[in-house]
Amino acid sequence: MSNHPQEAAKFVANDERMHWHDKALWFVREKRDLASKSIPEWEELRSVASEIKTHTLSKLDYYLEEFEKNATQKGITVHWAKDALEHNEIVYSLLEKNKVSKIVKSKSMLTEECHLNPYLEERNIEVIDTDLGERIVQLRNEPPSHIVLPAIHLKKSEVSETFVEKLGTEKGNDDPTYLTRAARASLREDFLDAGAGLTGVNFAIAQTGGVVVCTNEGNADMGASLPKLHIASMGIEKIIPKLEHLGVFTRLLAKSATGQPITSYTTHFHAPVVDGEMHIVIVDNQRTPFLASKDYNKALACIRCGACMNTCPVYRRSGGHSYGYVIPGPIGSTLGNFKDPKANKTLPFACTLCGSCTNVCPVKIDLDTQLYTHRQDLGAQGLLSKQKTISMKITAKLMQHPKLFDFFGKTIRKLVPMLPKSIVYSKYNIWGQTRDLPKMPKNSFKELYKQGLKDEL
Amino acid sequence: MNSKQYILNSIKNTNIIKETPCPQIPDFGIVYEDKFEQFAQIIKTVGGDALVCKKEDLDKTIASLYEDEKVISSNVDGCTLGNFNTDVDDPHKLKDIDLAIVKGEFAVSENGAVWIKNEDNKHRVLYFIAQNIVIVVQKDKIVNNMHEAYENIDFSDAGYGAFVSGPSKTADIEQSLVIGAHGPKSGYVLFVE
Amino acid sequence: MKIGLFIPCFMNELYPEACVSTLNVLKNLDLDVDYPLNQTCCGQAMANSGCSNEVKDLAHRFVDIFKEYDYIVAPTGSCVTMVKDHYAPFFNDDPAYNKVKNSIYEICEFLHDVIQVKEFNVSFKHKVGLHNSCHAHRALNLATPSELNINYNSKLKNLLGMVKGLELVTLQREDECCGFGGTFSVTEPDISTAMGKDRISDHINSGAEIMTGVDMSCLMHMEGLINRDNKPIKVMHITQILAGEGE
């Protein structure tokens, strides 16, 4: 159950940290702007990407089957999971069959969504997240707070404390290079030990039957290339029709995400390693209902770049954990609210409808429109607070009667200046907790207009 | 009904998205006056560097970059610095390689990436497990952008390929860029004239 | 050309001076303006709160009141966006609505695009920060949003550039949201306050004496914060500057 206003208030309470977080993400947004402006055809590229996604989703069953056929021909085994549990069961059975007791995992929001780690750990499989940010939050027993920058909410001093405790680094040494080297050394042992590598999938190409994984650290590549067993988990929406479409998406992804020209590694896996096995698990887990929704189907086009989070003025000031859903920020709010409106009903309101997210989205998802529409759906489903619906009903009625509205307005304007401050600014006046009310003018504009604008203001 | 059928049926039966034609990608990719210059400039921003040398100077050039590295592998024609044969049965045996000198197929100006195919290598982990990497590319094999890049890629006969742009890196701790995460800690692209 | 003036409900009650300025800017250009007295509210606050079911009658009222005018002009980007972008579900391709939808303008957009004003003959010798309110900015395209890679233009800066003596300051964040967001200001009061304070700081740090914009709602939110914290900056609706008032 998410309660964004409550969690956000906690984050904002530490003003210094809130501003530090806001600035860090704004810096990423600015890098994204610079990168996008280095490409004159940027806006056209977004349009083409959006069209490719729409086309693909319109024939998703066809492309999924084509993908399976071509992947199988390449010696890859394809599995299908209708939900999170089935996904976890498939992964576990593969590990069991191969007698694997330790796995290295690279970043995959899907496995977060499926809660794969606890599922495997309960079955005595050691799971090591290997992306540095993911490893940090794993050692702290926290979820990631951002889909691309999992530990963006943490200060280096906190990372240092965690590493002192878990990796035995020097106390007080919070130099990022030192800490990264310590994690590298420790994770290298894990890579060498692990019996299987799990990765996510950025793109799955129907035409060639392979998957593409994009990382900077090289962790997915180590994990997928060193052990004999590689398991890649993907949502059904990761499909693209042809190899040439990667030209579009690889240009957009990293530039939108972090402002990098491309990720350090953009790896195309089209076969197992020598004498090894490669498995791909295709997961639905409540994705197909999006295809049946005229308002929300575009959300499935998301390529998980995180640009909407970096630009969101609410996300930057409330932190990823405040959303209480596996994917935070604008895209998470629409996905989460669609999947479970009751649990996530505060999320479409964690937004000022500023529209910046829609403008940065590389595949042109109409995020702000979706969040507006979710609000109406929540209203229609009776999931808004009584207080809100009643006050809005009354206001709407009032506004149908101009004379009544005039009278009401006039009463407020006369009354407020006469009341003691303690009443005007009581705890029930949420607006007034941090803001002064406007000065109450003697006349409304309508009154002045009727008087021929002669009267004093 | 198995899960595959279940998923495919629910897509078939419920999908309301009208079929649109698959868009043609316009010929709009950015082109550069000097493809090498652009590449060299970009790769510096991602922690790598680009150098040019003659084929006969390969050894000398690489040796000057890596004076202390002991375990070296090379699958590049014209480079004799290799002292470790990567054609081992188990890829874990590559763990002590200090420097891998590998062949790159072509470079991309737009983003400082090089396409590697692993045709001359048994184990693809070589590119990531080595402490340092030098990718050797023919100087005339530079394309402008990713659209041109994919025109040169074909998986009908291949099982693997990757774009590598600079050494491995991370900025997961307070957005401070650290070169050398899990893969190589340095990465040069050496263009051979 | 007959213009119907729409004034947002709260602005009518709380900011009559800015409403008078709006009227004066139009009258200074010898335009024929009428202010229909039975107007109330466009329903935006209810719709943004998820209660658009309550808005249907208000939407029909709005269209009935304004459908006969050649142009509908309003000193707000967000209410105009409400009418243009969110009324459609209440009308079944109704010609009256379609006419209203295409003839309603935020006042600066109207001055810039329809009247194509070339001068105002007013002066305002102050350092001014322009707050680009989100709906005017991104839904009505009054300026190029910083996210997009298209040629830059700002209709508001073009208009303010015609005011003698006015010096426009450069903000660190050209088009960051102020955090008003209608009922967002009270359902997420902590984030709303934090965003508003940051927006104010950006203006003050950039040397602005006056913050202006096309939406009095954003300005009301920030004025409330400014007055509570005694910050050295004032807010003015853009029409107050364009009408030559406050100098």
Side-chain angles (χ1 to χ4, degrees), chain A residues 115-390:
Chain A
H115 301 289
L116 177 69
N117 287 17
Y119 180 92
L120 294 179
E121 280 157 2
E122 281 164 22
R123 285 155 186 80
N124 292 318
I125 292 192
E126 190 184 355
V127 182
I128 306 285
D129 276 317
T130 59
D131 170 85
L132 177 59
E134 290 261 317
R135 184 64 178 150
I136 293 167
V137 295
Q138 185 187 32
L139 291 174
R140 296 173 62 90
N141 208 11
E142 289 175 9
S145 72
H146 187 292
I147 63 172
V148 174
L149 317 161
I152 188 76
H153 61 292
L154 293 170
K155 298 205 166 193
K156 58 187 180 185
S157 57
E158 292 165 305
V159 177
S160 169
E161 282 162 25
T162 304
F163 279 17
V164 168
E165 190 194 326
K166 308 278 184 180
L167 303 181
T169 56
E170 290 166 26
K171 212 169 170 174
N173 192 339
D174 61 5
D175 174 51
T177 303
Y178 169 74
L179 296 171
T180 302
R181 289 285 180 269
R184 175 188 171 99
S186 150
L187 285 165
R188 217 156 234 260
E189 296 308 314
D190 296 319
F191 283 122
L192 291 167
D193 264 9
L198 259 73
T199 68
V201 167
N202 290 94
F203 306 101
I205 313 142
Q207 178 193 32
T208 62
V211 297
V212 176
V213 180
C214 307
T215 67
N216 282 321
E217 298 182 3
N219 56 317
D221 292 285
M222 288 283 271
S225 311
L226 205 43
K228 289 224 181 299
L229 178 62
H230 173 199
I231 305 171
S233 298
M234 59 176 267
I236 54 171
E237 80 283 14
K238 295 291 175 189
I239 291 275
I240 57 170
K242 295 181 192 166
L243 191 62
E244 67 184 54
H245 295 147
L246 284 170
V248 173
F249 292 107
T250 56
R251 297 186 80 195
L252 287 165
L253 179 62
K255 291 182 183 88
S256 297
T258 58
Q260 287 174 257
I262 189 170
T263 44
S264 303
Y265 303 109
T266 305
T267 308
H268 303 53
F269 295 100
H270 280 71
V273 292
V274 183
D275 302 326
E277 288 180 26
M278 180 172 170
H279 296 262
I280 294 174
V281 191
I282 299 176
V283 185
D284 182 354
N285 204 34
Q286 289 182 278
R287 281 166 175 71
T288 46
F290 281 90
L291 296 169
S293 160
K294 71 171 171 38
D295 294 321
Y296 307 112
N297 67 64
K298 273 192 186 159
L300 278 192
C302 175
I303 58 171
R304 302 288 189 268
C305 70
C308 62
M309 287 153 219
N310 306 338
T311 201
C312 177
V314 177
Y315 174 89
R316 278 188 262 113
R317 290 177 183 81
S318 65
H321 291 159
S322 65
Y323 292 79
Y325 181 68
V326 58
I327 297 176
I331 184 66
S333 295
T334 188
L335 293 172
N337 199 259
F338 182 79
K339 288 188 176 181
D340 190 347
K342 207 169 173 184
N344 297 309
K345 64 185 178 188
T346 63
L347 299 185
F349 294 97
C351 161
T352 61
L353 301 174
C354 81
S356 182
C357 48
T358 300
N359 281 350
V360 296
C361 178
V363 291
K364 299 181 98 165
I365 301 171
D366 53 343
L367 289 160
D368 62 319
T369 303
Q370 293 198 13
L371 293 174
Y372 174 86
T373 311
H374 276 305
R375 297 178 185 191
Q376 313 316 320
D377 289 352
L378 287 168
Q381 291 159 3
L383 288 171
L384 300 177
S385 77
K386 273 226 162 58
Q387 195 194 349
K388 185 183 253 180
T389 44
I390 291 170

Side-chain angles (χ1 to χ4, degrees), chain A residues 47-103:
Chain A
S47 297
V48 175
S50 169
E51 287 165 24
I52 295 171
K53 281 288 183 180
T54 305
H55 165 77
T56 314
L57 292 173
S58 77
K59 295 176 62 168
L60 190 56
D61 48 330
Y62 168 79
Y63 284 122
L64 282 166
E65 284 201 271
E66 193 193 352
F67 174 77
E68 184 191 38
K69 188 185 81 197
N70 291 327
T72 309
Q73 270 176 15
K74 295 269 184 198
I76 300 167
T77 311
V78 175
H79 309 258
W80 301 74
K82 60 181 179 305
D83 55 23
L85 179 65
E86 192 174 8
H87 165 263
N88 295 349
E89 287 169 352
I90 291 168
V91 172
Y92 178 64
S93 72
L94 290 169
L95 299 177
E96 212 182 14
K97 206 171 99 195
N98 287 277
K99 300 193 174 53
V100 173
S101 58
K102 175 173 181 172
I103 63 165

